[in-house]
């Protein structure tokens, strides 16, 4: 946590108060994470781990997650995005997983029970590294989601769409779907990989696990 605010302070000194500030997590050390669980409509749960960023109120911002997707089986889902610790619906997420419709990225703002997607999903999820980006314009209350490959090539852009809620984030969050009876879903720090490992497993069909796994190797906020 000290490292996070040291990066922020240096950015402020170098750039000046009026210039954008950057907070970056490279996961060289374990971040201080807060745990939460939320009900899911299928009698399952969302497991969430989140970590603090300076509160962003009424400002434009962008957030990027570098994610290496290592396993894709049906019905596992992993979410990355931003939240507000006091106003739970002030959030925005990119969710990735495999369903009967294929291997997809989904895009959300104001996520609650039964909330529809904010933009059309993108079919093209594969086992590889991605940069996932969420950009928010406070003045127009619009949001944009972008997906790039490991080389930085843009492969999907929702363009600007209306955000359901004003976003004033103070945390970055990672979620997985969880079946508590199995006890296999997890979000934890992997020191060897210098990454946050996320696994969603909600059940089995014969010997096939309903599973999704990914390493989040970097997260950066600019505001």
């Amino acid at each position: 946590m000290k490292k996070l605010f040291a990066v922020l302070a240096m950015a402020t000194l170098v750039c000046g108060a009026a210039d954008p500030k950057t907070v970056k997590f490279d996961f060289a050390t374990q971040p201080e994470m807060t745990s939460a669980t939320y009900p899911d409509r299928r009698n399952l749960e969302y497991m969430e781990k989140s970590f603090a960023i300076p509160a962003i109120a009424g400002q434009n911002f962008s957030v990027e997650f570098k994610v290496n997707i290592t396993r894709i089986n049906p019905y596992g889902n992993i979410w990355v995005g931003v939240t507000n610790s006091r106003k739970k619906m002030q959030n925005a997420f990119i969710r990735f997983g495999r369903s009967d419709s294929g291997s997809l990225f989904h895009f959300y703002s104001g996520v609650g029970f039964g909330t529809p997607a904010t933009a059309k999903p993108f079919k093209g999820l594969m086992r590889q590294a991605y940069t996932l980006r969420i950009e928010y314009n406070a003045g127009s209350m619009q949001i944009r989601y972008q997906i790039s490959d490991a080389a930085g090539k843009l492969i999907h852009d929702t363009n600007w769409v209306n955000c359901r809620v004003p976003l004033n984030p103070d945390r970055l969050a990672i979620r997985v779907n969880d079946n508590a009876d199995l006890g296999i879903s997890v979000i934890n720090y992997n020191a060897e990989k210098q990454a946050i490992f996320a696994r969603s497993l909600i059940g089995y069909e014969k010997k096939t696990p309903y599973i999704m796994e990914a390493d989040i190797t970097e997260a950066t906020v600019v505001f």
Side-chain angles (χ1 to χ4, degrees):
M1 191 58 65
K2 290 180 180 178
K3 181 179 180 182
L4 184 161
F5 289 105
V7 171
L8 175 61
M10 185 172 291
T12 303
L13 288 171
V14 172
C15 299
D19 293 321
K21 306 175 187 68
T22 299
V23 178
K24 181 177 179 180
F25 296 83
D26 59 10
F27 303 122
T29 58
Q30 182 172 352
E32 182 179 336
M33 295 190 289
T34 299
S35 300
T37 58
Y38 303 99
D40 185 10
R41 56 181 149 184
R42 294 168 294 178
N43 296 319
L44 300 171
E45 291 180 338
Y46 296 122
M47 175 192 297
E48 179 183 280
K49 294 286 182 74
S50 66
F51 33 99
I53 58 174
I56 302 171
Q59 294 175 253
N60 300 342
F61 70 86
S62 66
V63 56
E64 288 188 352
F65 293 87
K66 292 190 181 298
V67 178
N68 184 26
I69 297 171
T70 57
R71 194 169 181 183
I72 305 172
N73 277 8
Y75 312 120
N77 288 283
I78 298 174
W79 311 57
V80 295
V82 294
T83 64
N84 183 295
S85 57
R86 292 184 296 174
K87 299 178 180 179
K88 298 301 183 184
M89 289 287 287
Q90 285 197 10
N91 55 39
F93 284 98
I94 296 176
R95 172 173 69 91
F96 46 95
R98 180 177 164 188
S99 68
D100 293 338
S101 301
S103 298
L104 304 166
F105 291 92
H106 298 262
F107 312 101
Y108 297 94
S109 62
V111 179
F113 178 80
T115 300
T118 306
K120 291 181 179 180
F122 171 64
K123 187 174 183 179
L125 173 68
M126 295 187 291
R127 286 191 295 120
Q128 65 177 62
Y130 292 96
T131 296
L132 308 182
R133 178 181 173 86
I134 300 171
E135 187 174 357
Y136 176 70
N137 185 298
S140 64
M141 217 177 87
Q142 288 187 309
I143 194 165
R144 185 177 193 172
Y145 306 85
Q146 295 177 316
I147 301 169
S148 301
D149 64 16
K153 179 183 177 181
L154 182 67
I155 58 177
H156 183 70
D157 187 344
T158 67
N159 295 306
W160 291 102
V161 295
N162 291 332
C163 192
R164 287 197 175 84
V165 292
L167 297 182
N168 299 287
D170 59 12
R171 302 192 75 81
L172 302 186
I174 301 164
R175 289 182 180 177
V176 300
N177 288 101
D178 181 32
N179 184 335
D181 291 335
L182 295 177
I184 298 176
S185 293
V186 68
I187 305 168
N188 61 20
Y189 177 66
N190 185 315
E192 183 178 353
K193 290 186 176 182
Q194 295 190 352
I196 304 297
F197 172 67
R199 177 198 293 128
S200 166
L201 194 151
I202 60 170
Y204 294 86
E205 185 173 355
K206 296 182 179 178
K207 293 184 178 181
T208 301
Y210 293 162
I211 196 170
M212 185 84 191
E213 292 182 345
D215 295 311
I216 295 92
T217 59
E218 190 175 295
T220 304
V221 186
V222 179
F223 62 100

PDB file of all heavy atoms in Angstrom, residues 38 53 69-70 76 78 80 113 115 121 144 155 161 165 168 189 199 210 215 219:
ATOM      1  N   TYR A  38     -21.210 -11.783  -2.653  1.00  0.00           N
ATOM      2  CA  TYR A  38     -22.513 -11.279  -3.063  1.00  0.00           C
ATOM      3  C   TYR A  38     -23.333 -12.441  -3.613  1.00  0.00           C
ATOM      4  O   TYR A  38     -22.780 -13.361  -4.231  1.00  0.00           O
ATOM      5  CB  TYR A  38     -22.363 -10.206  -4.147  1.00  0.00           C
ATOM      6  CG  TYR A  38     -21.501  -9.044  -3.743  1.00  0.00           C
ATOM      7  CD1 TYR A  38     -20.161  -8.974  -4.133  1.00  0.00           C
ATOM      8  CD2 TYR A  38     -22.007  -8.016  -2.965  1.00  0.00           C
ATOM      9  CE1 TYR A  38     -19.360  -7.913  -3.764  1.00  0.00           C
ATOM     10  CE2 TYR A  38     -21.208  -6.944  -2.578  1.00  0.00           C
ATOM     11  CZ  TYR A  38     -19.897  -6.895  -2.991  1.00  0.00           C
ATOM     12  OH  TYR A  38     -19.097  -5.847  -2.618  1.00  0.00           O
ATOM     13  N   ILE A  53      -7.777   2.532  -4.132  1.00  0.00           N
ATOM     14  CA  ILE A  53      -7.131   3.565  -4.923  1.00  0.00           C
ATOM     15  C   ILE A  53      -7.591   4.912  -4.346  1.00  0.00           C
ATOM     16  O   ILE A  53      -8.566   4.956  -3.594  1.00  0.00           O
ATOM     17  CB  ILE A  53      -7.513   3.468  -6.419  1.00  0.00           C
ATOM     18  CG1 ILE A  53      -9.041   3.564  -6.594  1.00  0.00           C
ATOM     19  CG2 ILE A  53      -6.959   2.188  -7.017  1.00  0.00           C
ATOM     20  CD1 ILE A  53      -9.483   3.632  -8.040  1.00  0.00           C
ATOM     21  N   ILE A  69      -5.222 -15.074 -19.646  1.00  0.00           N
ATOM     22  CA  ILE A  69      -6.269 -16.084 -19.479  1.00  0.00           C
ATOM     23  C   ILE A  69      -5.672 -17.451 -19.785  1.00  0.00           C
ATOM     24  O   ILE A  69      -5.184 -17.703 -20.885  1.00  0.00           O
ATOM     25  CB  ILE A  69      -7.467 -15.761 -20.388  1.00  0.00           C
ATOM     26  CG1 ILE A  69      -8.076 -14.425 -19.952  1.00  0.00           C
ATOM     27  CG2 ILE A  69      -8.504 -16.881 -20.325  1.00  0.00           C
ATOM     28  CD1 ILE A  69      -9.122 -13.878 -20.872  1.00  0.00           C
ATOM     29  N   THR A  70      -5.690 -18.323 -18.797  1.00  0.00           N
ATOM     30  CA  THR A  70      -4.975 -19.591 -18.889  1.00  0.00           C
ATOM     31  C   THR A  70      -5.876 -20.816 -19.023  1.00  0.00           C
ATOM     32  O   THR A  70      -5.408 -21.878 -19.405  1.00  0.00           O
ATOM     33  CB  THR A  70      -4.073 -19.783 -17.651  1.00  0.00           C
ATOM     34  OG1 THR A  70      -4.881 -19.705 -16.463  1.00  0.00           O
ATOM     35  CG2 THR A  70      -2.997 -18.705 -17.599  1.00  0.00           C
ATOM     36  N   GLY A  76     -17.585 -20.832 -16.225  1.00  0.00           N
ATOM     37  CA  GLY A  76     -16.765 -20.058 -15.308  1.00  0.00           C
ATOM     38  C   GLY A  76     -16.749 -18.607 -15.757  1.00  0.00           C
ATOM     39  O   GLY A  76     -16.793 -18.312 -16.959  1.00  0.00           O
ATOM     40  N   ILE A  78     -14.949 -14.584 -14.747  1.00  0.00           N
ATOM     41  CA  ILE A  78     -14.079 -13.700 -13.973  1.00  0.00           C
ATOM     42  C   ILE A  78     -14.395 -12.265 -14.386  1.00  0.00           C
ATOM     43  O   ILE A  78     -14.615 -11.985 -15.573  1.00  0.00           O
ATOM     44  CB  ILE A  78     -12.594 -14.033 -14.205  1.00  0.00           C
ATOM     45  CG1 ILE A  78     -12.294 -15.467 -13.741  1.00  0.00           C
ATOM     46  CG2 ILE A  78     -11.692 -13.043 -13.468  1.00  0.00           C
ATOM     47  CD1 ILE A  78     -10.887 -15.941 -14.062  1.00  0.00           C
ATOM     48  N   VAL A  80     -13.280  -8.023 -13.866  1.00  0.00           N
ATOM     49  CA  VAL A  80     -12.319  -7.019 -13.403  1.00  0.00           C
ATOM     50  C   VAL A  80     -12.935  -5.646 -13.621  1.00  0.00           C
ATOM     51  O   VAL A  80     -13.626  -5.405 -14.626  1.00  0.00           O
ATOM     52  CB  VAL A  80     -10.954  -7.128 -14.120  1.00  0.00           C
ATOM     53  CG1 VAL A  80     -10.260  -8.433 -13.778  1.00  0.00           C
ATOM     54  CG2 VAL A  80     -11.101  -6.983 -15.639  1.00  0.00           C
ATOM     55  N   PHE A 113     -28.469  -7.184  -9.395  1.00  0.00           N
ATOM     56  CA  PHE A 113     -29.160  -8.426  -9.737  1.00  0.00           C
ATOM     57  C   PHE A 113     -29.951  -8.250 -11.033  1.00  0.00           C
ATOM     58  O   PHE A 113     -30.790  -7.368 -11.161  1.00  0.00           O
ATOM     59  CB  PHE A 113     -30.116  -8.821  -8.605  1.00  0.00           C
ATOM     60  CG  PHE A 113     -30.903 -10.075  -8.903  1.00  0.00           C
ATOM     61  CD1 PHE A 113     -30.315 -11.321  -8.733  1.00  0.00           C
ATOM     62  CD2 PHE A 113     -32.201 -10.014  -9.353  1.00  0.00           C
ATOM     63  CE1 PHE A 113     -31.025 -12.474  -9.007  1.00  0.00           C
ATOM     64  CE2 PHE A 113     -32.924 -11.166  -9.640  1.00  0.00           C
ATOM     65  CZ  PHE A 113     -32.323 -12.400  -9.458  1.00  0.00           C
ATOM     66  N   THR A 115     -29.000  -7.094 -13.868  1.00  0.00           N
ATOM     67  CA  THR A 115     -28.658  -5.923 -14.683  1.00  0.00           C
ATOM     68  C   THR A 115     -28.196  -6.359 -16.073  1.00  0.00           C
ATOM     69  O   THR A 115     -27.280  -7.170 -16.197  1.00  0.00           O
ATOM     70  CB  THR A 115     -27.537  -5.117 -14.018  1.00  0.00           C
ATOM     71  OG1 THR A 115     -27.975  -4.686 -12.732  1.00  0.00           O
ATOM     72  CG2 THR A 115     -27.199  -3.885 -14.853  1.00  0.00           C
ATOM     73  N   PRO A 121     -21.825  -7.817 -26.137  1.00  0.00           N
ATOM     74  CA  PRO A 121     -20.636  -8.627 -25.845  1.00  0.00           C
ATOM     75  C   PRO A 121     -19.766  -8.815 -27.074  1.00  0.00           C
ATOM     76  O   PRO A 121     -20.214  -8.599 -28.211  1.00  0.00           O
ATOM     77  CB  PRO A 121     -21.248  -9.958 -25.383  1.00  0.00           C
ATOM     78  CG  PRO A 121     -22.591 -10.004 -26.011  1.00  0.00           C
ATOM     79  CD  PRO A 121     -23.072  -8.585 -26.072  1.00  0.00           C
ATOM     80  N   ARG A 144     -16.510   3.608 -22.031  1.00  0.00           N
ATOM     81  CA  ARG A 144     -15.962   2.927 -23.205  1.00  0.00           C
ATOM     82  C   ARG A 144     -15.125   1.749 -22.739  1.00  0.00           C
ATOM     83  O   ARG A 144     -14.363   1.869 -21.775  1.00  0.00           O
ATOM     84  CB  ARG A 144     -15.098   3.910 -23.993  1.00  0.00           C
ATOM     85  CG  ARG A 144     -14.556   3.402 -25.312  1.00  0.00           C
ATOM     86  CD  ARG A 144     -13.788   4.515 -26.005  1.00  0.00           C
ATOM     87  NE  ARG A 144     -13.504   4.206 -27.394  1.00  0.00           N
ATOM     88  CZ  ARG A 144     -12.989   5.066 -28.261  1.00  0.00           C
ATOM     89  NH1 ARG A 144     -12.680   6.303 -27.854  1.00  0.00           N
ATOM     90  NH2 ARG A 144     -12.767   4.716 -29.515  1.00  0.00           N
ATOM     91  N   ILE A 155      -8.299  -5.007 -30.484  1.00  0.00           N
ATOM     92  CA  ILE A 155      -9.092  -6.029 -31.161  1.00  0.00           C
ATOM     93  C   ILE A 155     -10.593  -5.830 -30.952  1.00  0.00           C
ATOM     94  O   ILE A 155     -11.391  -6.447 -31.645  1.00  0.00           O
ATOM     95  CB  ILE A 155      -8.672  -7.451 -30.733  1.00  0.00           C
ATOM     96  CG1 ILE A 155      -8.810  -7.643 -29.226  1.00  0.00           C
ATOM     97  CG2 ILE A 155      -7.256  -7.758 -31.203  1.00  0.00           C
ATOM     98  CD1 ILE A 155      -8.477  -9.061 -28.772  1.00  0.00           C
ATOM     99  N   VAL A 161     -20.569   4.620 -24.890  1.00  0.00           N
ATOM    100  CA  VAL A 161     -21.965   4.261 -24.648  1.00  0.00           C
ATOM    101  C   VAL A 161     -22.379   4.896 -23.322  1.00  0.00           C
ATOM    102  O   VAL A 161     -21.544   5.263 -22.498  1.00  0.00           O
ATOM    103  CB  VAL A 161     -22.166   2.728 -24.593  1.00  0.00           C
ATOM    104  CG1 VAL A 161     -21.873   2.098 -25.944  1.00  0.00           C
ATOM    105  CG2 VAL A 161     -21.281   2.094 -23.508  1.00  0.00           C
ATOM    106  N   VAL A 165     -24.855   4.683 -14.306  1.00  0.00           N
ATOM    107  CA  VAL A 165     -24.721   5.397 -13.033  1.00  0.00           C
ATOM    108  C   VAL A 165     -23.504   6.308 -13.110  1.00  0.00           C
ATOM    109  O   VAL A 165     -22.587   6.057 -13.890  1.00  0.00           O
ATOM    110  CB  VAL A 165     -24.540   4.411 -11.852  1.00  0.00           C
ATOM    111  CG1 VAL A 165     -25.794   3.603 -11.611  1.00  0.00           C
ATOM    112  CG2 VAL A 165     -23.345   3.490 -12.092  1.00  0.00           C
ATOM    113  N   ASN A 168     -17.779   7.008  -9.282  1.00  0.00           N
ATOM    114  CA  ASN A 168     -16.854   7.674  -8.366  1.00  0.00           C
ATOM    115  C   ASN A 168     -16.067   6.593  -7.626  1.00  0.00           C
ATOM    116  O   ASN A 168     -16.251   6.385  -6.429  1.00  0.00           O
ATOM    117  CB  ASN A 168     -17.628   8.552  -7.380  1.00  0.00           C
ATOM    118  CG  ASN A 168     -18.423   9.638  -8.082  1.00  0.00           C
ATOM    119  OD1 ASN A 168     -17.861  10.607  -8.573  1.00  0.00           O
ATOM    120  ND2 ASN A 168     -19.730   9.463  -8.155  1.00  0.00           N
ATOM    121  N   TYR A 189      -2.938 -13.995  -4.138  1.00  0.00           N
ATOM    122  CA  TYR A 189      -1.699 -13.439  -4.663  1.00  0.00           C
ATOM    123  C   TYR A 189      -0.710 -14.565  -4.942  1.00  0.00           C
ATOM    124  O   TYR A 189      -0.488 -15.443  -4.099  1.00  0.00           O
ATOM    125  CB  TYR A 189      -1.096 -12.466  -3.651  1.00  0.00           C
ATOM    126  CG  TYR A 189       0.233 -11.889  -4.073  1.00  0.00           C
ATOM    127  CD1 TYR A 189       0.327 -11.049  -5.179  1.00  0.00           C
ATOM    128  CD2 TYR A 189       1.394 -12.177  -3.356  1.00  0.00           C
ATOM    129  CE1 TYR A 189       1.538 -10.511  -5.568  1.00  0.00           C
ATOM    130  CE2 TYR A 189       2.610 -11.631  -3.737  1.00  0.00           C
ATOM    131  CZ  TYR A 189       2.684 -10.807  -4.849  1.00  0.00           C
ATOM    132  OH  TYR A 189       3.889 -10.285  -5.231  1.00  0.00           O
ATOM    133  N   ARG A 199      -9.651 -17.916  -9.980  1.00  0.00           N
ATOM    134  CA  ARG A 199     -10.262 -19.148 -10.485  1.00  0.00           C
ATOM    135  C   ARG A 199     -11.750 -19.150 -10.146  1.00  0.00           C
ATOM    136  O   ARG A 199     -12.141 -18.922  -8.997  1.00  0.00           O
ATOM    137  CB  ARG A 199      -9.624 -20.388  -9.870  1.00  0.00           C
ATOM    138  CG  ARG A 199     -10.308 -21.700 -10.326  1.00  0.00           C
ATOM    139  CD  ARG A 199      -9.991 -22.868  -9.407  1.00  0.00           C
ATOM    140  NE  ARG A 199      -8.586 -23.231  -9.489  1.00  0.00           N
ATOM    141  CZ  ARG A 199      -7.787 -23.362  -8.425  1.00  0.00           C
ATOM    142  NH1 ARG A 199      -8.260 -23.136  -7.200  1.00  0.00           N
ATOM    143  NH2 ARG A 199      -6.530 -23.714  -8.571  1.00  0.00           N
ATOM    144  N   TYR A 210     -16.687 -26.799 -14.677  1.00  0.00           N
ATOM    145  CA  TYR A 210     -17.161 -25.485 -15.130  1.00  0.00           C
ATOM    146  C   TYR A 210     -16.206 -24.446 -14.542  1.00  0.00           C
ATOM    147  O   TYR A 210     -16.434 -23.904 -13.461  1.00  0.00           O
ATOM    148  CB  TYR A 210     -18.581 -25.241 -14.640  1.00  0.00           C
ATOM    149  CG  TYR A 210     -19.638 -26.145 -15.236  1.00  0.00           C
ATOM    150  CD1 TYR A 210     -20.870 -26.287 -14.618  1.00  0.00           C
ATOM    151  CD2 TYR A 210     -19.420 -26.844 -16.426  1.00  0.00           C
ATOM    152  CE1 TYR A 210     -21.860 -27.103 -15.164  1.00  0.00           C
ATOM    153  CE2 TYR A 210     -20.395 -27.663 -16.973  1.00  0.00           C
ATOM    154  CZ  TYR A 210     -21.617 -27.791 -16.340  1.00  0.00           C
ATOM    155  OH  TYR A 210     -22.590 -28.582 -16.883  1.00  0.00           O
ATOM    156  N   ASP A 215      -4.548 -14.974 -14.682  1.00  0.00           N
ATOM    157  CA  ASP A 215      -3.611 -14.214 -13.860  1.00  0.00           C
ATOM    158  C   ASP A 215      -3.751 -12.741 -14.220  1.00  0.00           C
ATOM    159  O   ASP A 215      -3.660 -12.373 -15.403  1.00  0.00           O
ATOM    160  CB  ASP A 215      -2.172 -14.649 -14.115  1.00  0.00           C
ATOM    161  CG  ASP A 215      -1.913 -16.088 -13.694  1.00  0.00           C
ATOM    162  OD1 ASP A 215      -2.282 -16.450 -12.574  1.00  0.00           O
ATOM    163  OD2 ASP A 215      -1.345 -16.847 -14.515  1.00  0.00           O
ATOM    164  N   ALA A 219      -2.327  -3.610 -12.963  1.00  0.00           N
ATOM    165  CA  ALA A 219      -3.519  -2.757 -12.993  1.00  0.00           C
ATOM    166  C   ALA A 219      -3.068  -1.307 -12.868  1.00  0.00           C
ATOM    167  O   ALA A 219      -2.230  -0.981 -12.028  1.00  0.00           O
ATOM    168  CB  ALA A 219      -4.468  -3.106 -11.848  1.00  0.00           C
TER     169      ALA A 219
END
